[in-house]
Amino acid sequence: MGLMSYIGEQFHKPTGFGGRLATFVMNKQNWRQYAETESVLELRDTDSVLDIGFGNGYLLNRLAGRYNCRFYGVDISPDMLAAASHRNRKHIGGGKMTLSLGSAEQTGLPDGLIDKAYTVNTAYFWSSLDAGLSEIWRVLKPGGVFVNTVYSKAMLDDLPVTKSGYAKYEIDEYLKVGAHNEFSVKVRPIVEGRSYSIIYTKQEIGG
Ligand SMILES: C[S@@+](CC[C@H](N)C(=O)[O-])C[C@H]1O[C@@H](n2cnc3c(N)ncnc32)[C@H](O)[C@@H]1O
């Protein structure tokens, strides 16, 4: 495996020292995406909140320090589960957060548990957008919201580490698959042409 593929793989499924390093770099580079995701979520203390693909648990830790919500998180990487659990040990020990191995496509959570779900830079790695969005629809309460923060296809195309293993979707594709899964969908630019939050709302019953 070449160096660029190795680095790309560390963003897909961070493992060992390379994974810890990649997620540390991510935390520095993606501050604007984290801030926008937090702002769009408009968390209230009564919300149950799900982070899909939490990486080293940086954003979960920040949100749990600010809001008295009930937090859940799933990630496919055992090493990230260990890192995020260590970082968030106070919140986990206090019963405010539950982290587990799982995926966007199979969270392992019960139907209708979640008010607000979010993910930052994981949708490129899902087996399909449809599989992830239909699972997220299942775990959301009616009226629940999912914020999917991504880099654009154009931005990903410019990066040397994303040549393989990344599904690079046009923003229209995120909208189309959301509508197919009965979400109402809006887009909020973070940096026009480069980064966006896609906001999916599960309609209220009868709404
Ligand atoms: C680029 S990192 C982003 C980490 C974190 N969201 C952040 O922004 O700091 C991608 C993360 O998604 C996880 N991941 C990859 N595929 C996934 C899937 N299908 N479902 C859930 N998590 C996944 C990886 O293990 C990794 O921790």
Side-chain angles (χ1 to χ4, degrees):
M1 187 188 282
L3 179 61
M4 291 303 158
S5 308
Y6 171 76
I7 297 171
E9 177 57 20
Q10 291 313 315
F11 292 116
H12 176 188
K13 188 174 181 181
T15 305
F17 176 73
R20 289 201 302 281
L21 189 61
T23 47
F24 175 78
V25 171
M26 234 183 291
N27 295 159
K28 303 284 166 216
Q29 274 183 339
N30 297 337
W31 63 271
R32 198 187 293 257
Q33 290 186 316
Y34 298 145
E36 286 294 321
T37 303
E38 178 177 349
S39 153
V40 174
L41 281 168
E42 295 182 346
L43 294 183
R44 285 157 210 226
D45 285 347
T46 49
D47 286 336
S48 57
V49 180
L50 170 63
D51 183 328
I52 296 167
F54 47 67
N56 62 12
Y58 173 87
L59 184 53
L60 269 175
N61 189 246
R62 183 162 120 177
L63 296 178
R66 293 181 179 169
Y67 304 93
N68 206 17
C69 303
R70 182 68 175 84
F71 290 92
Y72 298 85
V74 294
D75 198 291
I76 61 163
S77 163
D79 285 6
M80 289 300 106
L81 176 61
S85 298
H86 182 69
R87 182 181 295 254
N88 287 284
R89 58 194 179 283
K90 189 182 84 187
H91 303 303
I92 294 169
K96 186 174 178 178
M97 188 181 291
T98 305
L99 303 183
S100 48
L101 279 182
S103 65
E105 304 90 320
Q106 215 168 351
T107 60
L109 297 174
D111 294 359
L113 176 72
I114 300 296
D115 295 289
K116 310 260 174 78
Y118 66 88
T119 196
V120 180
N121 290 322
T122 77
Y124 336 117
F125 309 121
W126 301 357
S127 58
S128 76
L129 280 184
D130 194 52
L133 285 171
S134 89
E135 170 68 356
I136 293 162
W137 196 93
R138 184 185 70 73
V139 300
L140 280 176
K141 294 178 185 170
V145 173
F146 168 53
V147 179
N148 179 17
T149 294
V150 292
Y151 284 117
S152 65
K153 177 175 185 314
M155 168 78 182
L156 292 171
D157 278 342
D158 278 349
L159 300 176
V161 299
T162 62
K163 298 285 175 249
S164 65
Y166 285 65
K168 301 174 192 172
Y169 300 107
E170 299 287 359
I171 298 304
D172 274 357
E173 186 70 10
Y174 288 113
L175 302 182
K176 198 175 80 189
V177 181
H180 174 72
N181 280 279
E182 299 183 14
F183 283 106
S184 73
V185 194
K186 287 190 300 194
V187 184
R188 178 155 136 169
I190 297 174
V191 178
E192 194 60 73
R194 298 168 76 83
S195 180
Y196 297 85
S197 286
I198 322 289
I199 306 159
Y200 303 80
T201 304
K202 177 174 175 173
Q203 325 248 1
E204 300 275 1
I205 294 161

